[in-house]
Amino acid sequence: ADCLLWYFASSGKEENGVWVGGRLQVITDVTLRQQFIEKFLKPFLNEFGSHLALFGFDIINEPEWPINQKIITPEQLATFVNECATTIRQYAKGKLITVGVSAQYALLTKNLPLDYTAIHLYPANSVLFLDEFPGTVMLLGQNRPWVLEEYPSANTNIDPETYLRVIQKLGGSGASMWNFTLGSDKWSVS
């Protein structure tokens, strides 16, 4: 699954007859969180948890946004991730669990029950990537693998080979370009 929860911090809106966003209370309200786990997560995992196409679950994407907006606390995030991870481990044995987080907030994940840290990084230039990113990785320590789950393929002066070399040098376990589309940038060929 790409991400169980995304954009909860928004106030929500209707798009084409479907309510999107605005479900932050699933994290902050104990009753709603339990309903989410019982009425959505467990049935979803019972149906799809062992599917071969799923290698794992990104429980929440970039939780630093609602934390920075003071909508949720790191403690509420930890409770939510712990409860979801416990459920996923029970109903989807062997599937990997992570939280996608911007590089400068990677420490938010350090004490969460994750199988790997999924780091997102969109440096404006190579100096930010080559000089600052290694420090972020060092702060994480060696308690679990990490991947550069999102990095740009367009609007950057850093070529994919450089990303991959740096990730390998720093001990990363993998990488994934964000929104890679053939012909959309100077690195791909259409």
Side-chain angles (χ1 to χ4, degrees), residues 92-126:
K93 295 185 186 324
K95 301 299 183 180
L96 300 176
I97 299 171
T98 194
V99 168
V101 64
S102 297
Q104 63 268 38
Y105 298 99
L107 287 177
L108 281 174
T109 68
K110 190 167 184 171
N111 296 315
L112 297 178
L114 307 176
D115 296 308
Y116 67 98
T117 301
I119 301 171
H120 302 173
L121 182 70
Y122 293 94
N125 60 58
S126 58

PDB file of all heavy atoms in Angstrom, residues 92-126:
ATOM      1  N   ALA A  92      -0.868  -9.004   8.524  1.00  0.00           N
ATOM      2  CA  ALA A  92      -0.118  -9.023   7.261  1.00  0.00           C
ATOM      3  C   ALA A  92       1.320  -9.420   7.559  1.00  0.00           C
ATOM      4  O   ALA A  92       2.258  -8.666   7.314  1.00  0.00           O
ATOM      5  CB  ALA A  92      -0.192  -7.665   6.573  1.00  0.00           C
ATOM      6  N   LYS A  93       1.457 -10.609   8.081  1.00  0.00           N
ATOM      7  CA  LYS A  93       2.776 -11.092   8.508  1.00  0.00           C
ATOM      8  C   LYS A  93       3.791 -11.024   7.371  1.00  0.00           C
ATOM      9  O   LYS A  93       3.513 -11.384   6.247  1.00  0.00           O
ATOM     10  CB  LYS A  93       2.654 -12.511   9.034  1.00  0.00           C
ATOM     11  CG  LYS A  93       1.818 -12.602  10.298  1.00  0.00           C
ATOM     12  CD  LYS A  93       1.822 -13.992  10.867  1.00  0.00           C
ATOM     13  CE  LYS A  93       0.914 -14.205  12.038  1.00  0.00           C
ATOM     14  NZ  LYS A  93       0.729 -13.196  12.988  1.00  0.00           N
ATOM     15  N   GLY A  94       4.972 -10.509   7.716  1.00  0.00           N
ATOM     16  CA  GLY A  94       6.058 -10.454   6.762  1.00  0.00           C
ATOM     17  C   GLY A  94       6.099  -9.206   5.888  1.00  0.00           C
ATOM     18  O   GLY A  94       7.057  -9.004   5.152  1.00  0.00           O
ATOM     19  N   LYS A  95       5.064  -8.378   5.958  1.00  0.00           N
ATOM     20  CA  LYS A  95       5.063  -7.148   5.162  1.00  0.00           C
ATOM     21  C   LYS A  95       5.842  -6.070   5.910  1.00  0.00           C
ATOM     22  O   LYS A  95       5.776  -5.962   7.134  1.00  0.00           O
ATOM     23  CB  LYS A  95       3.634  -6.657   4.897  1.00  0.00           C
ATOM     24  CG  LYS A  95       2.772  -7.656   4.161  1.00  0.00           C
ATOM     25  CD  LYS A  95       3.314  -8.002   2.796  1.00  0.00           C
ATOM     26  CE  LYS A  95       2.367  -8.950   2.073  1.00  0.00           C
ATOM     27  NZ  LYS A  95       2.812  -9.337   0.766  1.00  0.00           N
ATOM     28  N   LEU A  96       6.583  -5.274   5.171  1.00  0.00           N
ATOM     29  CA  LEU A  96       7.400  -4.222   5.768  1.00  0.00           C
ATOM     30  C   LEU A  96       6.548  -3.012   6.143  1.00  0.00           C
ATOM     31  O   LEU A  96       5.544  -2.727   5.501  1.00  0.00           O
ATOM     32  CB  LEU A  96       8.498  -3.806   4.800  1.00  0.00           C
ATOM     33  CG  LEU A  96       9.472  -4.908   4.394  1.00  0.00           C
ATOM     34  CD1 LEU A  96      10.451  -4.391   3.356  1.00  0.00           C
ATOM     35  CD2 LEU A  96      10.200  -5.462   5.607  1.00  0.00           C
ATOM     36  N   ILE A  97       6.993  -2.300   7.173  1.00  0.00           N
ATOM     37  CA  ILE A  97       6.269  -1.134   7.683  1.00  0.00           C
ATOM     38  C   ILE A  97       7.217   0.057   7.750  1.00  0.00           C
ATOM     39  O   ILE A  97       8.343  -0.068   8.225  1.00  0.00           O
ATOM     40  CB  ILE A  97       5.685  -1.417   9.081  1.00  0.00           C
ATOM     41  CG1 ILE A  97       4.690  -2.583   9.018  1.00  0.00           C
ATOM     42  CG2 ILE A  97       5.021  -0.168   9.655  1.00  0.00           C
ATOM     43  CD1 ILE A  97       4.232  -3.069  10.373  1.00  0.00           C
ATOM     44  N   THR A  98       6.727   1.205   7.289  1.00  0.00           N
ATOM     45  CA  THR A  98       7.509   2.433   7.350  1.00  0.00           C
ATOM     46  C   THR A  98       6.590   3.632   7.529  1.00  0.00           C
ATOM     47  O   THR A  98       5.372   3.508   7.535  1.00  0.00           O
ATOM     48  CB  THR A  98       8.390   2.605   6.099  1.00  0.00           C
ATOM     49  OG1 THR A  98       9.360   3.615   6.354  1.00  0.00           O
ATOM     50  CG2 THR A  98       7.571   2.952   4.870  1.00  0.00           C
ATOM     51  N   VAL A  99       7.219   4.797   7.667  1.00  0.00           N
ATOM     52  CA  VAL A  99       6.567   6.103   7.633  1.00  0.00           C
ATOM     53  C   VAL A  99       7.422   6.959   6.715  1.00  0.00           C
ATOM     54  O   VAL A  99       8.631   7.032   6.888  1.00  0.00           O
ATOM     55  CB  VAL A  99       6.482   6.741   9.039  1.00  0.00           C
ATOM     56  CG1 VAL A  99       6.090   8.203   8.967  1.00  0.00           C
ATOM     57  CG2 VAL A  99       5.503   5.969   9.919  1.00  0.00           C
ATOM     58  N   GLY A 100       6.802   7.583   5.707  1.00  0.00           N
ATOM     59  CA  GLY A 100       7.540   8.464   4.811  1.00  0.00           C
ATOM     60  C   GLY A 100       7.701   9.829   5.460  1.00  0.00           C
ATOM     61  O   GLY A 100       6.729  10.416   5.918  1.00  0.00           O
ATOM     62  N   VAL A 101       8.937  10.323   5.504  1.00  0.00           N
ATOM     63  CA  VAL A 101       9.204  11.566   6.227  1.00  0.00           C
ATOM     64  C   VAL A 101      10.280  12.377   5.503  1.00  0.00           C
ATOM     65  O   VAL A 101      11.220  11.812   4.951  1.00  0.00           O
ATOM     66  CB  VAL A 101       9.616  11.255   7.687  1.00  0.00           C
ATOM     67  CG1 VAL A 101      10.909  10.480   7.757  1.00  0.00           C
ATOM     68  CG2 VAL A 101       9.658  12.484   8.543  1.00  0.00           C
ATOM     69  N   SER A 102      10.103  13.685   5.489  1.00  0.00           N
ATOM     70  CA  SER A 102      11.122  14.559   4.890  1.00  0.00           C
ATOM     71  C   SER A 102      12.431  14.419   5.655  1.00  0.00           C
ATOM     72  O   SER A 102      12.430  14.236   6.876  1.00  0.00           O
ATOM     73  CB  SER A 102      10.664  16.016   4.930  1.00  0.00           C
ATOM     74  OG  SER A 102       9.495  16.179   4.158  1.00  0.00           O
ATOM     75  N   ALA A 103      13.548  14.525   4.941  1.00  0.00           N
ATOM     76  CA  ALA A 103      14.866  14.267   5.525  1.00  0.00           C
ATOM     77  C   ALA A 103      15.106  15.046   6.812  1.00  0.00           C
ATOM     78  O   ALA A 103      15.602  14.490   7.794  1.00  0.00           O
ATOM     79  CB  ALA A 103      15.962  14.580   4.512  1.00  0.00           C
ATOM     80  N   GLN A 104      14.751  16.321   6.846  1.00  0.00           N
ATOM     81  CA  GLN A 104      15.038  17.124   8.029  1.00  0.00           C
ATOM     82  C   GLN A 104      14.203  16.707   9.248  1.00  0.00           C
ATOM     83  O   GLN A 104      14.484  17.130  10.355  1.00  0.00           O
ATOM     84  CB  GLN A 104      14.890  18.624   7.748  1.00  0.00           C
ATOM     85  CG  GLN A 104      13.508  19.068   7.367  1.00  0.00           C
ATOM     86  CD  GLN A 104      13.277  19.078   5.868  1.00  0.00           C
ATOM     87  OE1 GLN A 104      13.740  18.209   5.146  1.00  0.00           O
ATOM     88  NE2 GLN A 104      12.557  20.061   5.386  1.00  0.00           N
ATOM     89  N   TYR A 105      13.197  15.844   9.048  1.00  0.00           N
ATOM     90  CA  TYR A 105      12.370  15.366  10.159  1.00  0.00           C
ATOM     91  C   TYR A 105      12.526  13.867  10.379  1.00  0.00           C
ATOM     92  O   TYR A 105      11.711  13.244  11.061  1.00  0.00           O
ATOM     93  CB  TYR A 105      10.899  15.708   9.907  1.00  0.00           C
ATOM     94  CG  TYR A 105      10.667  17.188   9.822  1.00  0.00           C
ATOM     95  CD1 TYR A 105      10.566  17.819   8.592  1.00  0.00           C
ATOM     96  CD2 TYR A 105      10.582  17.957  10.970  1.00  0.00           C
ATOM     97  CE1 TYR A 105      10.376  19.192   8.511  1.00  0.00           C
ATOM     98  CE2 TYR A 105      10.397  19.327  10.899  1.00  0.00           C
ATOM     99  CZ  TYR A 105      10.294  19.935   9.667  1.00  0.00           C
ATOM    100  OH  TYR A 105      10.108  21.294   9.590  1.00  0.00           O
ATOM    101  N   ALA A 106      13.555  13.272   9.815  1.00  0.00           N
ATOM    102  CA  ALA A 106      13.733  11.824   9.890  1.00  0.00           C
ATOM    103  C   ALA A 106      13.808  11.311  11.326  1.00  0.00           C
ATOM    104  O   ALA A 106      13.408  10.182  11.606  1.00  0.00           O
ATOM    105  CB  ALA A 106      14.981  11.404   9.112  1.00  0.00           C
ATOM    106  N   LEU A 107      14.270  12.145  12.241  1.00  0.00           N
ATOM    107  CA  LEU A 107      14.363  11.697  13.637  1.00  0.00           C
ATOM    108  C   LEU A 107      12.995  11.428  14.262  1.00  0.00           C
ATOM    109  O   LEU A 107      12.912  10.728  15.275  1.00  0.00           O
ATOM    110  CB  LEU A 107      15.140  12.708  14.477  1.00  0.00           C
ATOM    111  CG  LEU A 107      16.647  12.723  14.224  1.00  0.00           C
ATOM    112  CD1 LEU A 107      17.329  13.809  15.057  1.00  0.00           C
ATOM    113  CD2 LEU A 107      17.270  11.372  14.503  1.00  0.00           C
ATOM    114  N   LEU A 108      11.923  11.953  13.671  1.00  0.00           N
ATOM    115  CA  LEU A 108      10.578  11.637  14.168  1.00  0.00           C
ATOM    116  C   LEU A 108      10.322  10.134  14.144  1.00  0.00           C
ATOM    117  O   LEU A 108       9.516   9.622  14.905  1.00  0.00           O
ATOM    118  CB  LEU A 108       9.504  12.319  13.308  1.00  0.00           C
ATOM    119  CG  LEU A 108       9.222  13.780  13.540  1.00  0.00           C
ATOM    120  CD1 LEU A 108       8.243  14.300  12.485  1.00  0.00           C
ATOM    121  CD2 LEU A 108       8.662  14.012  14.934  1.00  0.00           C
ATOM    122  N   THR A 109      11.004   9.424  13.264  1.00  0.00           N
ATOM    123  CA  THR A 109      10.757   7.991  13.099  1.00  0.00           C
ATOM    124  C   THR A 109      11.688   7.111  13.932  1.00  0.00           C
ATOM    125  O   THR A 109      11.492   5.904  13.994  1.00  0.00           O
ATOM    126  CB  THR A 109      10.916   7.578  11.620  1.00  0.00           C
ATOM    127  OG1 THR A 109      12.296   7.701  11.245  1.00  0.00           O
ATOM    128  CG2 THR A 109      10.050   8.427  10.714  1.00  0.00           C
ATOM    129  N   LYS A 110      12.665   7.708  14.565  1.00  0.00           N
ATOM    130  CA  LYS A 110      13.743   6.922  15.185  1.00  0.00           C
ATOM    131  C   LYS A 110      13.245   5.870  16.171  1.00  0.00           C
ATOM    132  O   LYS A 110      13.752   4.757  16.204  1.00  0.00           O
ATOM    133  CB  LYS A 110      14.756   7.849  15.858  1.00  0.00           C
ATOM    134  CG  LYS A 110      16.007   7.107  16.295  1.00  0.00           C
ATOM    135  CD  LYS A 110      17.118   8.025  16.654  1.00  0.00           C
ATOM    136  CE  LYS A 110      18.357   7.211  16.994  1.00  0.00           C
ATOM    137  NZ  LYS A 110      19.530   8.017  17.155  1.00  0.00           N
ATOM    138  N   ASN A 111      12.252   6.189  16.990  1.00  0.00           N
ATOM    139  CA  ASN A 111      11.784   5.243  18.009  1.00  0.00           C
ATOM    140  C   ASN A 111      10.459   4.579  17.651  1.00  0.00           C
ATOM    141  O   ASN A 111       9.824   3.972  18.516  1.00  0.00           O
ATOM    142  CB  ASN A 111      11.686   5.950  19.365  1.00  0.00           C
ATOM    143  CG  ASN A 111      13.048   6.406  19.844  1.00  0.00           C
ATOM    144  OD1 ASN A 111      14.024   5.659  19.778  1.00  0.00           O
ATOM    145  ND2 ASN A 111      13.134   7.646  20.284  1.00  0.00           N
ATOM    146  N   LEU A 112      10.048   4.692  16.401  1.00  0.00           N
ATOM    147  CA  LEU A 112       8.808   4.044  15.975  1.00  0.00           C
ATOM    148  C   LEU A 112       9.092   2.606  15.562  1.00  0.00           C
ATOM    149  O   LEU A 112      10.199   2.288  15.128  1.00  0.00           O
ATOM    150  CB  LEU A 112       8.190   4.827  14.810  1.00  0.00           C
ATOM    151  CG  LEU A 112       7.761   6.267  15.120  1.00  0.00           C
ATOM    152  CD1 LEU A 112       7.217   6.943  13.862  1.00  0.00           C
ATOM    153  CD2 LEU A 112       6.730   6.304  16.236  1.00  0.00           C
ATOM    154  N   PRO A 113       8.099   1.716  15.668  1.00  0.00           N
ATOM    155  CA  PRO A 113       8.308   0.291  15.336  1.00  0.00           C
ATOM    156  C   PRO A 113       8.262   0.038  13.825  1.00  0.00           C
ATOM    157  O   PRO A 113       7.347  -0.585  13.303  1.00  0.00           O
ATOM    158  CB  PRO A 113       7.141  -0.390  16.059  1.00  0.00           C
ATOM    159  CG  PRO A 113       6.046   0.625  15.996  1.00  0.00           C
ATOM    160  CD  PRO A 113       6.741   1.962  16.159  1.00  0.00           C
ATOM    161  N   LEU A 114       9.268   0.529  13.126  1.00  0.00           N
ATOM    162  CA  LEU A 114       9.316   0.437  11.674  1.00  0.00           C
ATOM    163  C   LEU A 114      10.383  -0.555  11.240  1.00  0.00           C
ATOM    164  O   LEU A 114      11.353  -0.789  11.957  1.00  0.00           O
ATOM    165  CB  LEU A 114       9.623   1.814  11.069  1.00  0.00           C
ATOM    166  CG  LEU A 114       8.728   2.971  11.511  1.00  0.00           C
ATOM    167  CD1 LEU A 114       9.217   4.283  10.919  1.00  0.00           C
ATOM    168  CD2 LEU A 114       7.283   2.701  11.148  1.00  0.00           C
ATOM    169  N   ASP A 115      10.220  -1.079  10.040  1.00  0.00           N
ATOM    170  CA  ASP A 115      11.219  -1.985   9.486  1.00  0.00           C
ATOM    171  C   ASP A 115      12.316  -1.237   8.754  1.00  0.00           C
ATOM    172  O   ASP A 115      13.426  -1.735   8.625  1.00  0.00           O
ATOM    173  CB  ASP A 115      10.554  -2.979   8.539  1.00  0.00           C
ATOM    174  CG  ASP A 115       9.578  -3.877   9.288  1.00  0.00           C
ATOM    175  OD1 ASP A 115       9.998  -4.464  10.303  1.00  0.00           O
ATOM    176  OD2 ASP A 115       8.415  -3.974   8.871  1.00  0.00           O
ATOM    177  N   TYR A 116      11.987  -0.050   8.250  1.00  0.00           N
ATOM    178  CA  TYR A 116      12.974   0.806   7.605  1.00  0.00           C
ATOM    179  C   TYR A 116      12.469   2.235   7.646  1.00  0.00           C
ATOM    180  O   TYR A 116      11.281   2.487   7.832  1.00  0.00           O
ATOM    181  CB  TYR A 116      13.274   0.356   6.167  1.00  0.00           C
ATOM    182  CG  TYR A 116      12.131   0.505   5.192  1.00  0.00           C
ATOM    183  CD1 TYR A 116      12.052   1.614   4.347  1.00  0.00           C
ATOM    184  CD2 TYR A 116      11.138  -0.460   5.093  1.00  0.00           C
ATOM    185  CE1 TYR A 116      11.016   1.757   3.439  1.00  0.00           C
ATOM    186  CE2 TYR A 116      10.100  -0.328   4.192  1.00  0.00           C
ATOM    187  CZ  TYR A 116      10.037   0.774   3.372  1.00  0.00           C
ATOM    188  OH  TYR A 116       9.009   0.910   2.480  1.00  0.00           O
ATOM    189  N   THR A 117      13.380   3.176   7.493  1.00  0.00           N
ATOM    190  CA  THR A 117      13.027   4.593   7.461  1.00  0.00           C
ATOM    191  C   THR A 117      12.951   5.019   5.999  1.00  0.00           C
ATOM    192  O   THR A 117      13.881   4.783   5.235  1.00  0.00           O
ATOM    193  CB  THR A 117      14.081   5.437   8.202  1.00  0.00           C
ATOM    194  OG1 THR A 117      14.155   4.973   9.552  1.00  0.00           O
ATOM    195  CG2 THR A 117      13.706   6.904   8.190  1.00  0.00           C
ATOM    196  N   ALA A 118      11.838   5.633   5.624  1.00  0.00           N
ATOM    197  CA  ALA A 118      11.619   6.091   4.252  1.00  0.00           C
ATOM    198  C   ALA A 118      11.809   7.605   4.207  1.00  0.00           C
ATOM    199  O   ALA A 118      10.955   8.361   4.665  1.00  0.00           O
ATOM    200  CB  ALA A 118      10.226   5.706   3.780  1.00  0.00           C
ATOM    201  N   ILE A 119      12.937   8.034   3.683  1.00  0.00           N
ATOM    202  CA  ILE A 119      13.302   9.449   3.680  1.00  0.00           C
ATOM    203  C   ILE A 119      12.901  10.101   2.350  1.00  0.00           C
ATOM    204  O   ILE A 119      13.101   9.523   1.286  1.00  0.00           O
ATOM    205  CB  ILE A 119      14.820   9.613   3.904  1.00  0.00           C
ATOM    206  CG1 ILE A 119      15.226   8.991   5.244  1.00  0.00           C
ATOM    207  CG2 ILE A 119      15.221  11.079   3.839  1.00  0.00           C
ATOM    208  CD1 ILE A 119      16.726   8.916   5.462  1.00  0.00           C
ATOM    209  N   HIS A 120      12.359  11.320   2.452  1.00  0.00           N
ATOM    210  CA  HIS A 120      12.018  12.122   1.268  1.00  0.00           C
ATOM    211  C   HIS A 120      12.967  13.307   1.237  1.00  0.00           C
ATOM    212  O   HIS A 120      13.182  13.964   2.253  1.00  0.00           O
ATOM    213  CB  HIS A 120      10.586  12.642   1.364  1.00  0.00           C
ATOM    214  CG  HIS A 120       9.569  11.563   1.503  1.00  0.00           C
ATOM    215  ND1 HIS A 120       8.243  11.832   1.752  1.00  0.00           N
ATOM    216  CD2 HIS A 120       9.669  10.211   1.427  1.00  0.00           C
ATOM    217  CE1 HIS A 120       7.567  10.701   1.813  1.00  0.00           C
ATOM    218  NE2 HIS A 120       8.416   9.701   1.629  1.00  0.00           N
ATOM    219  N   LEU A 121      13.527  13.587   0.060  1.00  0.00           N
ATOM    220  CA  LEU A 121      14.488  14.683  -0.053  1.00  0.00           C
ATOM    221  C   LEU A 121      14.336  15.361  -1.402  1.00  0.00           C
ATOM    222  O   LEU A 121      14.407  14.704  -2.441  1.00  0.00           O
ATOM    223  CB  LEU A 121      15.916  14.147   0.095  1.00  0.00           C
ATOM    224  CG  LEU A 121      17.028  15.180   0.054  1.00  0.00           C
ATOM    225  CD1 LEU A 121      16.994  16.043   1.303  1.00  0.00           C
ATOM    226  CD2 LEU A 121      18.376  14.503  -0.087  1.00  0.00           C
ATOM    227  N   TYR A 122      14.133  16.662  -1.365  1.00  0.00           N
ATOM    228  CA  TYR A 122      14.012  17.458  -2.582  1.00  0.00           C
ATOM    229  C   TYR A 122      14.965  18.639  -2.513  1.00  0.00           C
ATOM    230  O   TYR A 122      14.553  19.776  -2.349  1.00  0.00           O
ATOM    231  CB  TYR A 122      12.568  17.946  -2.763  1.00  0.00           C
ATOM    232  CG  TYR A 122      11.630  16.796  -3.030  1.00  0.00           C
ATOM    233  CD1 TYR A 122      10.944  16.180  -2.002  1.00  0.00           C
ATOM    234  CD2 TYR A 122      11.474  16.316  -4.315  1.00  0.00           C
ATOM    235  CE1 TYR A 122      10.105  15.113  -2.249  1.00  0.00           C
ATOM    236  CE2 TYR A 122      10.637  15.248  -4.579  1.00  0.00           C
ATOM    237  CZ  TYR A 122       9.952  14.651  -3.538  1.00  0.00           C
ATOM    238  OH  TYR A 122       9.131  13.585  -3.788  1.00  0.00           O
ATOM    239  N   PRO A 123      16.264  18.377  -2.641  1.00  0.00           N
ATOM    240  CA  PRO A 123      17.221  19.472  -2.559  1.00  0.00           C
ATOM    241  C   PRO A 123      17.142  20.374  -3.796  1.00  0.00           C
ATOM    242  O   PRO A 123      16.962  19.897  -4.913  1.00  0.00           O
ATOM    243  CB  PRO A 123      18.569  18.764  -2.493  1.00  0.00           C
ATOM    244  CG  PRO A 123      18.331  17.477  -3.204  1.00  0.00           C
ATOM    245  CD  PRO A 123      16.905  17.100  -2.896  1.00  0.00           C
ATOM    246  N   ALA A 124      17.271  21.659  -3.542  1.00  0.00           N
ATOM    247  CA  ALA A 124      17.255  22.612  -4.658  1.00  0.00           C
ATOM    248  C   ALA A 124      18.545  22.524  -5.462  1.00  0.00           C
ATOM    249  O   ALA A 124      18.569  22.830  -6.643  1.00  0.00           O
ATOM    250  CB  ALA A 124      17.061  24.034  -4.122  1.00  0.00           C
ATOM    251  N   ASN A 125      19.599  22.116  -4.806  1.00  0.00           N
ATOM    252  CA  ASN A 125      20.878  22.017  -5.513  1.00  0.00           C
ATOM    253  C   ASN A 125      21.737  20.926  -4.894  1.00  0.00           C
ATOM    254  O   ASN A 125      21.434  20.405  -3.824  1.00  0.00           O
ATOM    255  CB  ASN A 125      21.606  23.362  -5.502  1.00  0.00           C
ATOM    256  CG  ASN A 125      21.890  23.827  -4.097  1.00  0.00           C
ATOM    257  OD1 ASN A 125      22.543  23.130  -3.328  1.00  0.00           O
ATOM    258  ND2 ASN A 125      21.396  25.003  -3.733  1.00  0.00           N
ATOM    259  N   SER A 126      22.824  20.610  -5.557  1.00  0.00           N
ATOM    260  CA  SER A 126      23.669  19.508  -5.107  1.00  0.00           C
ATOM    261  C   SER A 126      24.355  19.789  -3.779  1.00  0.00           C
ATOM    262  O   SER A 126      24.670  18.866  -3.040  1.00  0.00           O
ATOM    263  CB  SER A 126      24.705  19.175  -6.186  1.00  0.00           C
ATOM    264  OG  SER A 126      25.492  20.305  -6.472  1.00  0.00           O
TER     265      SER A 126
END
